[in-house]
């Protein structure tokens, strides 16, 4: 395990929001650096070597999406974006550019901390070896042996269903946009066929969830993409 | 290779012709040599046959003349009641065009195509009624006798000695879709006449008996046979052209007819029309107005206009040209229009044998024009023309006396001056003073005063100056030469100056009109409002032509509106005629084929995109409106006005679009600013309250409660802001739906997930059929509908209640329902709850502003679905919304993939 205190850079122009985010994260035991503008945020990200960046999408000097593209040129630091609700296009752009997760305003501190923890765990995991096996909603996925089981009973998946599940399992807690999944599973020429993905996702739910209309783990972020929630 | 293909222009023309034909009704003409051959009978038999096939046939008008056999054929047919028209105390019964247009049968029978309608009908001729029926898409059966064909009218008149006044233009006959020749031999016809089977009106018995002579009947039969044969020939030619059988394309040798002022030109026109039809070429008819001809009496001018109108009706392009010399102008026109054959009426040697005939002059001017001479008709009744001349004379403007007084005064002055000069100058020089006086009078006034001055000068010169003085006697015979030369010079100069002045006048008139046209175009190009266009049109047209006009603009439903703001005196407009003109895109009223009884001329304002309105013109001298070139000028003005109106219309459209875009942009920026500015403090509020709770040492129970409350209120505030902003976006009416094909369960799942907090005290059961098809919708918006419905259900049911989400296919659409088992909806509120700011319970303590359901309705309706609420009999409320099913896109082939999977080891 990593022993050093995790470092967070928060890029947000609103002082009151910075203030409570800082208070919450410091209380959680993280070290927090603040940046008021995107440019300053990039400087902080470069110099402080943060473990997570929390980024407001509505910054005055630079578009948040631009910030992420810039950052992704030289770093894979997890980014959680803060955005207004009803702004799906912007969210998708940020996620496609490389953001890991998003939080719609207004959000509670509990929600924020949960997302930060997930991001930190994922960072730890990618830092070590990729998880060979994972468990969620009573389903056990073994990526090495390529088996999917519930209660020791193997579950029958088609190759595409498996590739889709494997992608989600490799990115637990992360929001994957339709575009990203289509590119990974079907290839770059299929990024427009979102209904393929939706159909396979439905099948996967029917096979893995107790009630496909009330999923617990294979969650839909309406209009944006999907997220696999892992209960640990 | 290419040569065998038809010319593209020709093809295009044919396509257009076919299209036009497809929209029009079909005309079938039952054609006969004379009355009594059984046209009406044949027509009715044909109609009966169609009726027995259950075709919608209507008898518009049929003259049975009391014949029982014909009457019998009317049995079972629907007959249109005739319209009664009061005319000079008599009641005339006419075909009711409007009733026929309203009834709109598939086929309508209209007997006697050549019939002239009673005055006060919409069209003067029945064939024009038929044209309108065809244009409205109805098929028409009609009957026609050969002697009523315009181009054969004079030929038949010459053969039979009876001239019929009712004629039908040949183009109507030629453009008929089918012609059925009803033919019996002359002997049979005479037998029928003898048996009394042919209707003969009482008053004309004698004349008609003369008409029905065997010789006449043979000639008529031959003519009708030949005319029908010509038509068949024409059809054959069209057929060959369409099938490209003929490789040689005719080079068109178009005809030009010169209309002269002489009587009898109608015959020339008819002959030309027949020739043009035989050659299948276009033809033009022109009249050259020289200064000499401009002085013709009004009745003569009217006759020329009538001749031109006849030519127009027979299908010619007509023009009135202005020029010094008829021959020169005609040749110029012929060259400019590429017309190679000239048709002129033969001149009779007049009383001036030295004058070259018109034909000679044309021949001298150009060697490559074919000239065809046609004998004019000299049928004009001499008594009648004498009467006309008399009428003209009385009509002629009374000459003003002042110019003559001036002439006398000028001669008197010359005499006084001459007398004063006599002691010092030769008489030969003094003559010059008199000549000067004549020239001045000629320049200043018309021909009359200058002639008077010429004679007066000679008399005065002789009386006062030539010795012996104060006597008309002449001492020296050589003075007679002086007199003669002086008179001749004075007359010639007077004539020349008068001519010159006349031409200058005409030129300046013409220039004034052109200037008016130009100035109006210039003024119209700058206007921005339709009212300005109306004002400018009034100003220019009324001042230029001395007429009264009114402009009627069409509203968006193509109904004409009188410009009520119009401050100008408006002619007494008949709005129904104007509307007719607008609807049919044709001129109507005075001088046209439609309702010529009206004193006002209505010109449609046709712009490139659509009709814009109607220009109504009333002139104090109605004849003025008949002159083709004036009409053309008015048409020019109308086109200018229409274009200006259209331009202004598009300016308005463009401005509207800019304003809409601007307000859209403004609304969006206000909304996103609002959304940001309202959310930021709410986020801080929520976050800071949370922090307050979490920071050690923590709060006591009461404080914790308060902090919870603050947090809840902040979230409620946020939900409120979201609703308001959503409603504002949806209200703007231009929500762009991000439509995607997707399974419904996705949004059902995500909606529950996002309302987890609100639903934690309720049981939610979602049961969707496993094979539910993909639907096309905007996931975010439909999720919002479900969220609102779930929230609503949670709000209005006690904790522990069950909320069920279900979906089904019903009547070709997907029905999604959210049902609770709570108290249900208050009776009668099932509809009102979807209105803005309405809630189930009045003044309820439950949170929410009642926008939720209004938003749901807006979203569902944007998806072309419906939403409604009902109470469940077993208790509880149910909200149902529908989404259209559509055809989902092709699916990835699941079967193939399953098969493939079997071959891949390791995945189980």
């Amino acid at each position: 395990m990593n022993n050093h205190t995790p470092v967070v850079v928060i890029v947000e122009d609103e002082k009151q929001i910075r203030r409570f985010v800082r208070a919450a994260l410091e209380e959680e035991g993280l070290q927090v650096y603040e940046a008021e503008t995107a440019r300053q945020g990039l400087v902080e990200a470069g110099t402080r070597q943060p473990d997570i960046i929390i980024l407001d999408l509505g910054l005055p000097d630079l578009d948040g999406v631009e910030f992420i593209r810039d950052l992704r040129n030289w770093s894979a630091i997890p980014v959680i974006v803060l955005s207004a609700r009803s702004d799906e296009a912007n969210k998708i752009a940020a996620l496609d550019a490389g953001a890991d997760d998003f939080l719609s305003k207004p959000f509670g501190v509990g929600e924020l901390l949960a997302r930060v923890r997930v991001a930190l765990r994922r960072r730890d995991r990618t830092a070590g070896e990729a998880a060979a096996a994972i468990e969620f909603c009573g389903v056990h996925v073994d990526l090495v042996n390529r088996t999917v089981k519930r209660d020791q009973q193997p579950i029958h998946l088609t190759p595409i269903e498996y590739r889709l599940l494997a992608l989600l399992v490799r990115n637990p807690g992360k929001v994957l946009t339709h575009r990203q999944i289509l590119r990974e599973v079907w290839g770059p020429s299929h990024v427009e066929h979102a209904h393929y993905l939706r159909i396979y996702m439905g099948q996967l739910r029917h096979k893995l969830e107790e009630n496909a209309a009330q999923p617990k783990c294979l969650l839909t972020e309406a209009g944006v993409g999907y997220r696999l929630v892992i209960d640990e | 290779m290419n040569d065998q293909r038809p010319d593209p222009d020709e093809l295009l023309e044919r396509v257009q012709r076919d299209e036009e034909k497809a929209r029009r009704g079909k005309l079938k003409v039952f054609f006969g040599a004379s009355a009594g051959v059984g046209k009406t009978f044949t027509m009715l038999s044909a109609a009966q046959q169609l009726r027995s096939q259950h075709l919608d046939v209507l008898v518009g008008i049929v003259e049975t003349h009391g014949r029982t056999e014909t009457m019998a054929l009317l049995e079972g047919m629907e007959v249109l009641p005739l319209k009664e028209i009061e005319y000079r105390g008599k009641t005339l019964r006419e075909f009711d065009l409007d009733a026929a247009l309203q009834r709109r049968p598939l086929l309508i029978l209209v007997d006697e195509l050549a019939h002239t309608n009673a005055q006060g009908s919409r069209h003067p001729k029945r064939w024009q009624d038929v044209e309108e029926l065809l244009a409205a898409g109805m098929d028409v059966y009609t009957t026609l006798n050969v002697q009523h064909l315009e181009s054969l009218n004079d030929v038949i008149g010459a053969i039979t000695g009876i001239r019929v006044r009712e004629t039908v233009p040949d183009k109507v006959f030629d453009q008929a879709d089918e012609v059925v020749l009803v033919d019996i031999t002359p002997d049979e016809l005479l037998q029928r006449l003898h048996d009394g089977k042919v209707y003969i009106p009482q008053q004309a018995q004698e004349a008609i008996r003369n008409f029905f002579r065997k010789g006449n009947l043979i000639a008529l039969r031959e003519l009708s046979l030949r005319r029908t044969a010509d038509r068949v020939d024409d059809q054959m030619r069209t057929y060959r052209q369409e099938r490209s059988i003929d490789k040689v394309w005719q080079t068109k040798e178009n005809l030009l007819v010169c209309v002269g002022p002489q009587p009898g030109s109608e015959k020339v026109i008819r002959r030309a029309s027949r020739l043009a039809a035989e050659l299948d070429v276009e033809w033009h008819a022109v009249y050259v107005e020289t200064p000499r001809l401009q002085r013709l009496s009004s009745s003569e001018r009217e006759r020329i206009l009538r001749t031109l109108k006849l030519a127009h009706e027979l299908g010619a392009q007509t023009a009135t040209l202005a020029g010094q010399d008829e021959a020169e102008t005609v040749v110029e026109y012929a060259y400019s229009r590429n017309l190679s054959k000239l048709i002129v009426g033969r001149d009779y040697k007049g009383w001036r044998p030295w004058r070259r005939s018109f034909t000679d002059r044309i021949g001298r001017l150009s060697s490559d024009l074919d000239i065809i001479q046609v004998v004019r008709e000299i049928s004009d009744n001499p008594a009648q023309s004498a009467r006309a001349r008399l009428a003209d004379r009385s009509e002629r403007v009374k000459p003003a006396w002042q110019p003559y007084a001036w002439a006398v005064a000028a001669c008197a002055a010359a005499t006084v001056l001459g007398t004063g000069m006599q002691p010092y100058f030769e008489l030969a020089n003094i003559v010059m003073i008199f000549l000067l006086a004549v020239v001045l009078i000629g320049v200043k006034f018309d021909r009359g005063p200058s002639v008077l001055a010429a004679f007066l000068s000679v008399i005065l010169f002789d009386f006062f100056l030539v010795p012996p003085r104060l006597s008309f006697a002449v001492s020296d015979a050589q003075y007679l030469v002086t007199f003669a030369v002086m008179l001749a010079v004075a007359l010639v100069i007077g004539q020349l100056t008068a001519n010159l002045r006349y031409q200058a006048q005409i030129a300046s008139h013409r220039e004034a009109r052109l200037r008016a046209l130009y100035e109006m175009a210039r003024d119209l190009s700058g206007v921005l409002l339709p009212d300005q266009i109306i004002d400018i049109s009034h100003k220019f047209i009324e001042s230029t032509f001395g007429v009264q006009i009114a402009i009627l603009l069409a509203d968006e439903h193509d109904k004409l509106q009188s410009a009520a703001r119009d401050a100008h005196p408006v002619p007494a407009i008949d709005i129904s005629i104007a509307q007719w003109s607008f609807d049919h895109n044709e001129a109507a009223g005075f001088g046209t084929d439609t309702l010529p009884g009206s004193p006002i001329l209505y010109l449609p304002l046709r712009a490139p995109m659509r009709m814009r309105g109607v220009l109504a013109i009333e002139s104090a001298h109605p004849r003025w409106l008949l002159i083709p070139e004036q009409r053309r000028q008015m048409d020019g003005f109308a086109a200018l006005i229409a274009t200006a109106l259209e331009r202004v219309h598009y300016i308005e459209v463009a401005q509207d679009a800019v304003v809409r875009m601007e307000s859209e942009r403004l609304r969006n920026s206000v909304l996103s600013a609002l959304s940001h500015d309202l959310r930021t403090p709410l986020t801080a509020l929520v976050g800071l309250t949370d922090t307050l709770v979490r920071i050690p040492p923590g709060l006591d129970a009461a404080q914790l409660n308060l902090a919870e409350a603050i947090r809840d209120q902040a979230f409620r505030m946020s939900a409120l802001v979201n609703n308001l902003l959503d409603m504002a976006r949806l209200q703007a009416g231009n929500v762009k739906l991000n439509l995607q094909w997707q399974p419904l369960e996705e949004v059902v799942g995500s909606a529950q997930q996002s309302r987890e907090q609100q639903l934690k005290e309720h049981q939610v059961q979602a049961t969707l059929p496993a094979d539910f098809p993909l639907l096309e919708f905007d996931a975010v918006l439909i999720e919002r509908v479900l969220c609102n419905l779930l929230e609503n259900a949670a709000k209005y049911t006690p904790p522990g209640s069950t909320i069920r989400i279900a979906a089904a296919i019903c009547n070709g659409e997907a029905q999604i329902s959210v049902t609770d088992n709570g108290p249900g909806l208050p009776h009668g509120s099932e509809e009102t709850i979807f209105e803005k700011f309405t809630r189930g319970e009045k003044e309820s303590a439950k949170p929410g502003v009642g926008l939720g359901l209004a938003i749901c309705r807006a979203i569902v309706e944007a998806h072309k679905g419906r939403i409604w609420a009902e109470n469940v009999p077993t208790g509880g409320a149910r909200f149902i919304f529908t989404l259209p099913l559509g055809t989902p896109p092709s699916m990835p082939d699941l079967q193939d993939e399953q098969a493939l999977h079997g071959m891949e080891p390791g995945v189980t």
Side-chain angles (χ1 to χ4, degrees), chain A residues 109 155-156 213-214 222 226, chain B residues 690 746 752 764 783 897 901 908:
Chain A
V109 169
I155 299 173
H156 183 99
Q214 286 172 312
Y226 300 97
Chain B
D690 278 355
E746 272 198 359
Q752 292 172 69
V764 181
E783 187 201 77
E897 218 244 325
H901 151 72
T908 27

Side-chain angles (χ1 to χ4, degrees), chain B residues 373-394:
Chain B
Q373 289 200 5
V374 176
V375 180
R376 281 181 216 280
E377 189 178 38
I378 341 165
S379 72
D380 261 26
N381 189 336
Q384 200 181 347
S385 39
R387 241 198 332 276
R389 265 199 294 281
L390 215 67
D392 280 350
R393 210 162 293 155
S394 63

Side-chain angles (χ1 to χ4, degrees), chain B residues 2-18:
Chain B
N2 269 351
D3 302 354
Q4 304 201 340
R5 292 216 171 156
D7 170 14
D9 285 343
E10 193 137 352
L11 266 180
L12 191 68
E13 196 187 315
R14 201 170 72 211
V15 168
Q16 281 170 349
R17 210 165 52 217
D18 287 351

